[in-house]
């Protein structure tokens, strides 16, 4: 993509993922953006972004708007604002992690205006987003996706179109099922090893070389070994939210998820112990503080 062919791009939501994407986009050209948080707007401006006051203002100047938002209410409010801009042909790339029903509601709010909504969640943590190591799981209108693809390649290691609208979210939830289970299993392994007298650093260095290793083990293992849980790369509260979304999807297709279900009490216990804002690696502490039922 050249400067001449690069669409005008805006971003609504400058939190952990949104600010990381904004930084990569700014390395390639101008970016319009907004967030309800003043500090985030200031940080975006300091990085070279053009700050606007609202989502509707972003929609009026951008050809592609990327949204990265924390709640379904925020996504629906922004969707209504983007529709109010009255920009037929506007492409909205929705990257938040939400339920299929919430994504569909956002589409119903936006598309009567002539804009197109793409469901494009990101697979990866905030730390991976900063390193441009996330994967875009795109779904929806193929022509609109092709038009936005160059911008998405600026923020991600891999960009995939996985099917009709909503398939991106389904793929993301499948990936998050594995992340949630792998994280809990990694914490249990550390807790067992340390309880059994192993050095946590040696445990990490050796286990990662064998069949027990994984991307999650590589990423969270050092945090668990160092007991370094803040700032979070992926908060415990996010795991609780994601497990709930995965369970909702599983119920909708009548599939039991016993392995995933076993992890939820651990994340909920972490919240109860004051770790809601801590990294998911803190499950090591939760498990080490537990006693065997025998």
């Amino acid at each position: 993509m050249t400067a001449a062919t690069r669409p005008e791009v805006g971003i609504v939501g400058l939190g952990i993922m949104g600010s990381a994407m904004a930084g990569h986009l700014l390395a390639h050209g101008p970016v319009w953006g907004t967030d309800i948080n003043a500090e985030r707007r200031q940080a975006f401006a300091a990085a070279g972004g053009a700050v606007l006051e609202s989502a509707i203002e972003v929609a009026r100047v951008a050809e592609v708007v990327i949204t990265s938002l924390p709640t379904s209410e925020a996504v629906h409010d922004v969707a209504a604002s983007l529709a109010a801009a009255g920009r037929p042909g506007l492409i909205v790339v929705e990257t938040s992690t939400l339920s299929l029903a919430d994504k569909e509601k956002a589409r119903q709010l936006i598309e009567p205006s002539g804009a197109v909504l793409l469901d494009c969640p990101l697979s990866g943590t905030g730390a991976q987003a900063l390193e441009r190591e996330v994967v875009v799981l795109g779904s929806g209108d193929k022509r609109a996706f092709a038009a936005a693809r160059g911008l998405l390649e600026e923020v991600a290691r891999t960009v995939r179109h996985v099917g009709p609208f909503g398939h991106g979210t389904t793929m993301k939830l499948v990936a998050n099922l594995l992340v949630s289970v792998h994280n809990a299993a990694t914490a249990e392994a550390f807790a067992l090893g340390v309880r059994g007298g192993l050095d946590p650093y040696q445990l990490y260095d050796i286990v990662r070389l064998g069949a027990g290793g994984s991307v999650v083990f590589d990423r969270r293992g050092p945090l668990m070994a160092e007991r370094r849980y803040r700032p979070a790369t992926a908060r415990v509260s996010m795991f609780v939210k994601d497990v709930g979304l995965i369970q909702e999807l599983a119920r909708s297709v009548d599939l039991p998820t016993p392995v995933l279900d076993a992890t939820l009490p651990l994340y909920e216990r972490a919240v109860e112990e004051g770790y809601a804002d801590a990294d998911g690696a803190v499950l090591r502490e939760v498990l080490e503080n537990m006693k065997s039922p025998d």
Side-chain angles (χ1 to χ4, degrees):
M1 179 184 295
T2 66
T5 60
R6 187 179 192 257
E8 291 287 343
V9 59
I11 188 161
V12 179
L14 297 166
I16 293 174
M17 302 300 280
S19 62
M21 287 189 286
H24 296 308
L25 291 167
L26 284 165
H28 294 271
V31 183
W32 308 88
T34 194
D35 192 286
I36 61 172
N37 183 290
E39 291 183 4
R40 292 174 182 170
R41 293 197 303 272
Q42 292 166 4
F44 176 65
V51 177
L52 295 175
E53 290 301 313
S54 66
I56 192 169
E57 291 184 26
V58 174
R60 285 171 176 161
V61 297
E63 299 167 86
V64 176
V65 176
I66 298 172
T67 58
S68 178
L69 300 159
T71 66
S72 57
E73 292 80 6
V75 168
H76 299 154
D77 288 347
V78 167
S81 295
L82 296 175
R87 289 284 305 281
L90 175 71
I91 298 170
V92 181
V93 179
E94 215 305 293
T95 67
S96 314
T97 301
L98 300 168
S99 70
L100 288 171
D102 284 327
K103 292 281 181 134
E104 183 59 36
K105 181 176 178 179
R107 180 163 73 152
Q108 292 172 3
L109 287 167
I110 284 177
E111 295 199 342
S113 70
V116 177
L117 183 70
L118 297 172
D119 169 39
C120 298
L122 308 178
S123 181
T125 66
Q128 288 174 298
L130 284 171
E131 298 167 8
R132 205 173 71 82
E133 281 295 316
V134 295
V135 177
V136 174
L137 305 172
S139 61
D141 185 90
K142 288 185 177 180
R143 185 173 299 179
F145 185 80
R149 186 181 192 108
L151 294 170
L152 296 174
E153 289 174 343
E154 294 178 5
V155 307
R157 169 172 53 88
T158 303
V159 176
R160 296 290 184 90
H161 187 272
V162 299
F165 185 90
H167 278 204
T169 285
T170 300
M171 190 72 75
K172 164 73 171 179
L173 296 179
V174 168
N176 280 6
L177 184 155
L178 290 168
V179 171
S180 299
V181 170
H182 286 179
N183 182 67
T186 297
E188 187 168 289
F190 268 86
L192 177 62
V194 171
R195 214 37 103 74
L198 295 180
D199 177 87
Y201 296 95
Q202 185 185 53
L203 186 157
Y204 171 70
D205 286 338
I206 292 177
V207 171
R208 67 192 293 264
L209 300 176
S214 68
V215 171
V216 172
F217 191 92
D218 282 347
R219 291 276 176 174
R220 294 262 154 63
L223 303 182
M224 293 183 189
E226 298 170 20
R227 299 184 186 273
R228 176 165 51 90
Y229 309 125
R230 294 183 176 91
T233 65
R235 294 185 297 273
V236 168
S237 58
M238 185 208 75
F239 279 95
V240 173
K241 168 193 167 187
D242 286 356
V243 172
L245 292 175
I246 299 162
Q247 290 175 326
E248 180 182 328
L249 173 63
R251 286 193 297 269
S252 75
V253 296
D254 193 26
L255 181 78
T257 53
V259 178
L260 175 72
D261 296 348
T263 71
L264 183 57
L266 298 175
Y267 292 111
E268 291 177 334
R269 184 163 181 158
V271 172
E272 292 169 3
E273 294 181 7
Y275 295 125
D277 67 332
D279 194 271
V282 80
L283 287 195
R284 173 189 167 179
E285 303 299 323
V286 173
L287 282 156
E288 283 191 24
N289 290 335
M290 294 171 68
K291 300 294 184 181
S292 172
D294 295 334

